[in-house]
Amino acid sequence: METELWTYPDAVGRLDLTGFEVEAKDGSIGKVDEATFDAGESYVVVDTGTWILGKKVLLPAGLIERVDRDEEKIFVDRTKEEIKQAPEFGKDTYREEDYRSDVGDYYLRQPTSAEE
């Protein structure tokens, strides 16, 4: 399960998601600022704009449920509040394994819509 959290669903493939809008289960949270494609360690960094005062959040690739290529929008399987409560994004530490481990542990504790 841990590796799946950091792996894009097949529907994404190798599509560059940078600039795509991001929709949580209950509304928009911002735009993709950065997307990685490292095997078993992929994620997107979302610039939240005014939603949480210009902060960024890191979302493991496995949280993406689907992609609307025409609208350039990704949909994630978490609520805005769940995303807001995740470990705080650190611009100098977000690429470090310890930070990603904390983020992964946080999201693994949250039930997905399939588990509710």
Side-chain angles (χ1 to χ4, degrees), residues 5-57:
L5 182 65
W6 298 99
T7 302
Y8 287 103
D10 291 338
V12 174
R14 298 286 297 175
L15 178 66
D16 182 5
L17 300 173
T18 305
F20 277 47
E21 299 212 16
V22 183
E23 290 284 325
K25 294 173 77 160
D26 55 351
S28 177
I29 64 166
K31 288 189 174 192
V32 176
D33 188 52
E34 176 184 340
T36 66
F37 288 92
D38 300 333
E41 297 180 358
S42 298
Y43 57 84
V44 294
V45 175
V46 180
D47 183 340
T48 63
T50 59
W51 173 52
I52 48 178
L53 303 175
K55 292 191 177 185
K56 294 183 179 184
V57 294

Side-chain angles (χ1 to χ4, degrees), residues 94-109:
Y94 77 97
R95 290 185 176 100
E96 294 177 6
E97 188 173 331
D98 286 346
Y99 173 73
R100 288 194 320 269
S101 179
D102 289 345
V103 170
D105 290 346
Y106 170 79
Y107 283 114
L108 286 171
R109 289 192 307 266

